């Protein structure tokens, strides 16, 4: 006979127990973890079985500039903009999302950095010191100029909201390295456009969806107020989980496997363990004053440091959104806003790359930087820039990437990619390759067809791989 907790002394079935346990466990990311999808019932395994070949990277940190930075301010200098300022010469007539004015030059200067001599804007002096570890992708392009679809494509591989995010695919392909922490964590001090569908698992096993953390404060108790269950002690929670396991085993012995219920139970187990390890992971006070000072102050600085703490503890994918909403969406006052945005990211990113390198982690940690698209080289509202998905810049560092190089080119004005073009699908295929995963083989059967992150597209950019 199964021994029950005094709190559950009356008769309950396993689903009632799951409901009560989930309501009192105080789990991290409860809204995310318990929002399981019914189509997870088709799941037959929690991951695909590991890498297809020897990986160069074990983990990924994605620094996401939500809103879309202008490539011509930072990593893709365009002197022709100054020559033709205010004009729309031939070759500058690309149709954009809305009518825009004449060419708007960037007022920020570039200079070569490092032994490679790759030009970097004066707005990023600290990051420029790391250019020999960075590959600048100048020829990115995507399919849609609107934030919602573009965010979905960058994060989920498609403009449709019903597909798994790339972090979920990473976990499905590789599994987690630490059962006491989620393998996929999203840090954002607020809510980006489209919010949780950007890190959902869709039809993949729900244990692979991202755990969202609002890191507006660095106090773990406030950052994740539902982290520790103050109602029931650890022994009581452990007995409840054991009871639930026994009830589930009895039911499945009679009725057969129930993958959807197993996914929920696994999430509860993870949440239980997280209560005790996550407190340490999210406590930045455990870092030295020197390290805290190196990263600087602010939400993004804290996010970068938290990302390092997470990946060194086995988190597979840490995504750091720059801020609430779409901060890089500079439809007006562009030249006034960009210096502030860059000051916020320059020191933390440089510190993150230094930190990873000093800890011997940069070689197998892939760092990705960029937004969902870029911005137009023409003016909007006189002093702003509109969305541009035809040509924009991202960069990668560490994790098997060749540093000190640029790849691809946009046209003379920065409207569109024209040489060695890299689509979002190609970027995803390349990241999966660095993780030891063949993007054409990493598939999941759902509704009668095989799905993958890159759909039926994508080519690995071998030229940027060391």
């Amino acid at each position: 006979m199964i021994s029950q907790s005094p709190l559950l002394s009356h008769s309950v079935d396993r689903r009632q127990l799951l409901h009560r346990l989930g309501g009192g466990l105080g789990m991290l990311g409860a809204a995310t973890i318990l929002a399981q999808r019914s189509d997870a019932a088709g799941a037959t395994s929690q991951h695909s079985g590991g890498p297809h070949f020897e990986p160069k990277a074990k983990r990924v940190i994605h620094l996401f500039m939500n809103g879309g930075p202008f490539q011509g301010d930072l990593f893709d200098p365009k002197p022709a903009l100054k020559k033709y300022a205010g004009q729309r010469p031939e070759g500058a007539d690309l149709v954009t999302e809305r009518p825009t004015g004449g060419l708007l030059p960037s007022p920020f200067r570039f200079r070569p950095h490092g032994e490679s001599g790759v030009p970097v804007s004066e707005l990023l002096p600290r990051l420029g010191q790391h250019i020999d570890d960075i590959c600048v992708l100048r020829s990115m392009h995507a399919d849609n100029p609107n934030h919602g679809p573009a965010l979905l494509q960058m994060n989920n591989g498609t403009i449709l909201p019903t597909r798994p995010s790339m972090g979920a695919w990473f976990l499905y392909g590789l599994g987690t390295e630490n059962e006491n922490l989620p393998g996929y964590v999203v840090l954002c001090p607020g809510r980006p456009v489209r919010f949780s569908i950007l890190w959902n698992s869709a039809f993949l096993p729900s244990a692979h969806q991202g755990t969202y953390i609002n890191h507006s404060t660095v106090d773990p108790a406030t950052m994740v107020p539902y982290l520790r269950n103050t109602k029931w002690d650890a022994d009581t929670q452990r007995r409840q989980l054991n009871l639930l396991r026994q009830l589930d085993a009895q039911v499945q012995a009679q009725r057969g496997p129930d993958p959807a219920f197993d996914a929920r139970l696994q999430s509860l187990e993870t949440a239980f363990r997280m209560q005790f390890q996550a407190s340490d992971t999210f406590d930045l006070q455990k870092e030295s004053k020197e390290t805290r000072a190196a990263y600087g102050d602010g939400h993004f600085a804290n996010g970068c440091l938290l990302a390092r703490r997470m990946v060194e503890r086995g988190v597979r994918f840490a995504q750091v959104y720059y801020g609430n909403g779409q901060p890089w969406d500079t439809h007006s006052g562009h030249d006034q806003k960009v210096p502030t945005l860059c000051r916020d990211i320059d020191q933390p990113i440089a510190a993150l790359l230094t930190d990873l390198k000093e800890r011997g982690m940069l070689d197998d940690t892939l760092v990705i930087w960029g937004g969902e698209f870029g911005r137009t080289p023409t003016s909007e509202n006189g002093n702003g820039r509109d969305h541009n998905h035809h040509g924009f810049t991202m960069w990668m560092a560490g994790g098997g990437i060749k540093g000190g190089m640029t790849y691809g080119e946009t046209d003379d004005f920065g409207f569109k990619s024209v040489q060695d073009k890299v689509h979002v699908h190609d970027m995803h295929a390349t990241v999966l390759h660095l993780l030891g995963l063949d993007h054409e083989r990493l598939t999941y059967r759902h509704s009668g067809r095989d799905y993958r992150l890159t759909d039926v597209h994508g080519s690995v950019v071998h030229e940027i791989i060391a």
Side-chain angles (χ1 to χ4, degrees), residues 336-374:
Q336 292 71 45
K337 295 174 182 177
V338 169
T340 299
L341 294 167
C342 288
R343 279 193 297 271
D344 285 348
I345 69 170
D346 185 39
Q347 181 177 347
I349 297 177
L352 174 63
L353 295 176
T354 298
D355 205 356
L356 291 171
K357 203 166 190 178
E358 289 178 348
R359 293 169 184 268
M361 295 177 61
L362 187 59
D363 287 345
D364 57 7
T365 301
L366 178 64
V367 181
I368 305 172
W369 177 94
E372 64 268 35
F373 42 49

Side-chain angles (χ1 to χ4, degrees), residues 312-430:
E312 72 179 341
R313 288 163 171 78
V315 171
R316 184 73 70 182
F317 183 45
Q319 193 171 35
V320 184
Y321 280 73
Y322 170 80
N324 181 41
Q326 299 295 99
W328 290 83
D329 194 26
T330 51
H331 289 282
S332 62
H334 176 90
D335 291 346
Q336 292 71 45
K337 295 174 182 177
V338 169
T340 299
L341 294 167
C342 288
R343 279 193 297 271
D344 285 348
I345 69 170
D346 185 39
Q347 181 177 347
I349 297 177
L352 174 63
L353 295 176
T354 298
D355 205 356
L356 291 171
K357 203 166 190 178
E358 289 178 348
R359 293 169 184 268
M361 295 177 61
L362 187 59
D363 287 345
D364 57 7
T365 301
L366 178 64
V367 181
I368 305 172
W369 177 94
E372 64 268 35
F373 42 49
R375 311 207 74 79
T376 58
T378 50
S379 64
E380 182 187 18
N381 300 319
N383 58 2
R385 297 185 188 274
D386 201 4
H387 310 160
N388 181 17
H389 65 292
H390 298 286
F392 59 99
T393 292
M394 296 180 68
W395 60 253
M396 298 183 186
I401 285 292
K402 291 180 182 177
M405 67 173 289
T406 64
Y407 184 82
E409 293 292 341
T410 50
D411 62 81
D412 289 342
F413 305 110
F415 272 107
K416 58 183 177 179
S417 300
V418 295
Q419 178 181 330
D420 295 325
K421 298 171 69 173
V422 181
H423 192 273
V424 173
H425 295 309
D426 303 324
M427 184 272 289
H428 286 155
T430 304

Side-chain angles (χ1 to χ4, degrees), residues 157-177:
T158 174
I159 64 174
L160 301 175
T162 56
R163 302 287 176 83
S165 60
M166 59 176 168
W169 280 109
F170 298 165
L171 282 191
Y172 173 64
L174 300 174
T176 183
E177 290 189 308

